[in-house]
Amino acid sequence: MDMQLDPAGDDLPLMANTSHILVKHYVLDLDVDFESQVIEGTIVLFLEDGDRFKKQNRSVEEACQSESNKGCKLGMPEPCHVPVTNARTFSSEVEYNDCAICSKGEKDTSDKDGNHDNQEHAAGISSSKRCCDTGNHGSEEFLLVLDCCDLSVLKVEEVDVAAVPGMEKFTRSPELTVVSEELRNQIVRELVTLPANRWREQLDYYARCSQAAGCGELLFDTDTWSLQIRKTGAQTATDFPHAIRIWYKTKPEGRSVTWTSDQSGRPCVYTVGSPVNNRALFPCQEPPVAMSTWQATVRAAASFVVLMSGENSAKPTQLWEGCSSWYYYVTMPMPASTFTIAVGCWTEVKMEPCSSGDSATETPFSPSEADFRRVGVCSHMEYPCRFQNASATTQQIIPHRVFAPVCLTGACQETLLQLIPPCLSAAHSVLGTHPFSRLDVLIVPANFPSLGMASPHIMFLSQSILTGGSHLCGTRLCHEIAHAWFGLALGARDWTEEWLSEGFASHLEDVFWAAAQQLAPREAREQQELRACLRWRRLQDEMQSSPAEMQVLRPNKDKTGHTSDSGASVIKHGLNPEKIFMQVHYLKGYFLLRFLAEKLGDETYFSFLRKFVHAFHGQLILSQDFLQMLLENIPEEKRLELSVENIYQDWLESSGIPKPLQRERRAGAECGLARQVRAEVTKWIRVNRRPRKRKRREREAVFEKLLPDQLVLLLEHLLEQKTLSHQTLRSLQRTYQLQDQDAEVRHRWCELIVKHKFTKAYESVERFLQEDQERSQRDSFIQLLLAWGTGPGHQRRDYVAAKAVSPQPRSSLGASLSQRLVPARHAQKADSRKRGLPPWIWSGAALGFRVLLHR
């Protein structure tokens, strides 16, 4: 291929040759086996050659340039039920070690998993020895390259779509009466380009074609990062089969999914948001430009629930005793990286019957022909778009379900279920039409490495958000809801521009949460200023403890969005284990958007944002798309010398803290809520300086009630103090009931406990390790805790370790806290708070707590 990758580097390769051929639709047919920890089955790819795609792409780009162009006049998708067969589309008697397909007379070079490996792939990036032309030029055979790793590919074959009854309607040329490659490809071309109002018919034909017989096995090879497929004699993408079936199975150690147990001790598996995305779940085209639709049938034991990115609220179909099948589909083209699945013994959590009728309920929505009228202009490729439906545009609360392990259903009822309707309604009030028709929310296992993850139609949330009141739950829920617009409906065309997703979600979570609480404008502003204060502190820490090259929001600069001639590219630092813990894109992106909103005024800024969402939903964007439209749509007098070039230079293409932000923080006055915290800190310092035996007449300090974010700020200030007596710590715990606060507050409390060797509160550390830490980091923390220190805490630490260590930890992060690099400021400043403590306490565990909880 025309891309070189350093095998010792940390860049993530995107190998698919999307410039030559595109996957338009995936049909997955899978079995989940918990005993072997393997997902196996088939995936059928419906392809379109690059020339047709480029023509469509050019027309979309032209449509984006003028809002007066005609929009798509589309119907809304309703639940679609494609018949599920009881039998697999392939024989279960196939022997895996016999499935490798070689040319006649060639030696079978497959490994024990059935993979064809080129032993000469020194860097893991290479095309097959037998065929090296991935484009549609030259005399050698065309090569389809898919992103793939940690998979056992067993067999690849062409699908005989012409044998499916009824497909003759897709043959426009009467002279093509003999079944040929050209006829089959013509059928697929017609199928993938059906108009959006025939989406139901299209899904049905996709399902029927996916079950058709094969009409010829295809040659394939695999290497570290890709699956390469060719057909003898097919020299161009146009000649290559446009419908192929791949038989494969995942590996237990595959990085796209995690096999684990839920909080009730029952087995489960789910996509964990891995740096390698979904390429270890199914062969796919990973580059964002490869936007596709999908449908999937998944079989599992009847006791399991299958949740997935899908427009329909799937229900199980019993195939035979003890086995059920689940079917999902998506009609909005999305990158394959957004596909999500979770299989476990989840329980649907429902609201308890309420006598009062004042609780919020979802807005009923049942599409009808009267709804199918154009509301505005869309510039994306054609699909059944909610922005084109009058009923959908007014739907404040979309249908939603909540799933969790049975032991957490009560906590979900008390907090999460109550918050979803107001948060959805608040998001609609700010941005308008919900891009997706429904939402499933799943409380994932305790080893989930962050507080939340959003995907089309489904959201994962950590159990950590369920304790300590509604604040952490509400803010995280708002953050993930914001991703429905920024990150999913509008995606970054270049994955290095993560700020277009995370920066927007971080900024909008505060706005959504204030609206959900129905705060008065002044109160909302105060809370938002307090959160800005906390983020400013984190950003300063981040800038001092991370490599300069990883602090840049637009690292590719003028080459942002560029790919090789084949469409392959690399994501800079995509495999760097430190990147998972970094918040630069969240924080600098947040402060940039806050800066712009303050310059323009909230009314002007959010009015523009709604316009931007309507113009670009369903498309991929770059930073310049947002910035150029922003500056073009605001009055001259409000631009205030802003320019795309200045914003690039100050915010996106420089490391460190942006100069405009430094000036703002120096000049800005501390908000009222932060000043209140300062006053409380002064009281606690005064209390800490008192002798243990006080005079009886001395007045007790009276402390104010603080908001959760204020408590976080208070504890961070107290962590800067040289020493705090155990008596002071006891008073702190008693005054604010710290052991019962949310995870944000408790992790700072744990830092204070460990720093000052407050052994009587080690139970709080134990609880935090068990409930709020990713498992591999928890084990590292405890092992190091056991190895450290002497004194009265020894027995307690042994007890903590015995209760908290997991016997078989599984990690999706690939690195534990004990392996983290010591942040620069901790390495350089041996300050008093580290005396008597090993460096890992602050450089590893304490910093790791903060980063994990703010991802």
Side-chain angles (χ1 to χ4, degrees), residues 529-531 533-535 537-538 670-671 673-678 681 706-720 744-745 748:
E529 288 294 330
L530 177 62
R531 291 179 68 77
C533 175
L534 288 169
R535 290 188 177 109
R537 294 171 64 87
R538 293 173 204 145
E670 200 170 38
C671 69
L673 293 176
R675 287 196 300 272
Q676 185 182 6
V677 172
R678 289 273 187 189
V681 170
L706 299 178
L707 298 171
D709 283 335
Q710 287 182 298
L711 276 176
V712 170
L713 185 58
L714 172 76
L715 297 180
E716 289 190 358
H717 281 309
L718 292 178
L719 276 164
E720 296 168 359
E744 293 273 17
V745 176
R748 271 78 170 184

Side-chain angles (χ1 to χ4, degrees), residues 158 161 180-190 237-243:
E158 181 178 0
V161 296
S180 64
E181 191 72 68
E182 186 178 357
L183 176 65
R184 285 189 285 265
N185 285 356
Q186 183 188 101
I187 290 172
V188 175
R189 280 194 290 268
E190 294 297 316
T238 303
D239 300 331
F240 189 80
H242 283 28

Side-chain angles (χ1 to χ4, degrees), residues 40-87:
E40 63 179 311
T42 66
I43 182 169
V44 176
L45 281 57
F46 293 86
L47 304 162
E48 183 177 53
D49 58 81
D51 289 339
R52 291 176 58 88
F53 162 72
K54 289 173 184 176
K55 292 177 183 178
Q56 292 178 4
N57 200 42
R58 278 197 297 269
S59 65
V60 168
E61 290 177 355
E62 291 168 0
C64 292
Q65 296 172 2
S66 172
E67 294 182 18
S68 62
N69 289 334
K70 291 183 179 180
C72 45
K73 300 181 181 181
L74 310 174
M76 285 293 300
E78 299 175 19
C80 175
H81 302 283
V82 175
V84 179
T85 59
N86 289 350

Side-chain angles (χ1 to χ4, degrees), residues 1-215:
M1 293 182 65
D2 51 1
M3 179 184 65
Q4 296 298 321
L5 187 74
D6 178 7
D10 62 2
D11 294 337
L12 173 68
L14 303 180
M15 301 298 297
N17 53 338
T18 55
S19 294
H20 303 145
I21 195 165
L22 280 174
V23 178
K24 302 299 292 183
H25 189 78
Y26 298 93
V27 180
L28 295 98
D29 188 69
L30 303 174
D31 286 291
V32 180
D33 185 349
F34 281 93
E35 185 174 347
S36 62
Q37 295 190 342
V38 163
I39 299 173
E40 63 179 311
T42 66
I43 182 169
V44 176
L45 281 57
F46 293 86
L47 304 162
E48 183 177 53
D49 58 81
D51 289 339
R52 291 176 58 88
F53 162 72
K54 289 173 184 176
K55 292 177 183 178
Q56 292 178 4
N57 200 42
R58 278 197 297 269
S59 65
V60 168
E61 290 177 355
E62 291 168 0
C64 292
Q65 296 172 2
S66 172
E67 294 182 18
S68 62
N69 289 334
K70 291 183 179 180
C72 45
K73 300 181 181 181
L74 310 174
M76 285 293 300
E78 299 175 19
C80 175
H81 302 283
V82 175
V84 179
T85 59
N86 289 350
R88 296 270 290 276
T89 61
F90 54 92
S91 170
S92 60
E93 298 177 359
V94 173
E95 293 294 333
Y96 294 147
N97 57 355
D98 293 330
C99 289
I101 309 303
C102 300
S103 298
K104 186 175 181 180
E106 289 184 357
K107 181 181 178 181
D108 185 345
T109 58
S110 61
D111 64 14
K112 64 181 180 181
D113 292 314
N115 290 330
H116 277 245
D117 290 320
N118 184 350
Q119 301 301 324
E120 296 178 12
H121 294 171
I125 303 297
S126 171
S127 58
S128 169
K129 289 189 297 182
R130 298 191 296 270
C131 47
C132 57
D133 185 2
T134 64
N136 52 3
H137 52 80
S139 59
E140 297 181 351
E141 291 166 338
F142 174 79
L143 192 69
L144 169 65
V145 182
L146 300 174
D147 294 293
C148 170
C149 72
D150 303 338
L151 292 178
S152 295
V153 178
L154 312 174
K155 178 181 177 182
V156 182
E157 65 181 359
E158 181 178 0
V159 178
D160 188 7
V161 296
V164 176
M167 299 306 289
E168 58 273 5
K169 69 171 67 174
F170 297 111
T171 56
R172 293 183 299 175
S173 302
E175 65 273 13
L176 295 177
T177 54
V178 179
V179 175
S180 64
E181 191 72 68
E182 186 178 357
L183 176 65
R184 285 189 285 265
N185 285 356
Q186 183 188 101
I187 290 172
V188 175
R189 280 194 290 268
E190 294 297 316
L191 178 57
V192 300
T193 56
L194 282 178
N197 58 6
R198 295 174 66 184
W199 64 271
R200 197 188 311 274
E201 177 187 5
Q202 186 181 47
L203 285 177
D204 179 62
Y205 276 114
Y206 278 141
R208 291 163 63 185
C209 286
S210 71
Q211 297 176 20
C215 58

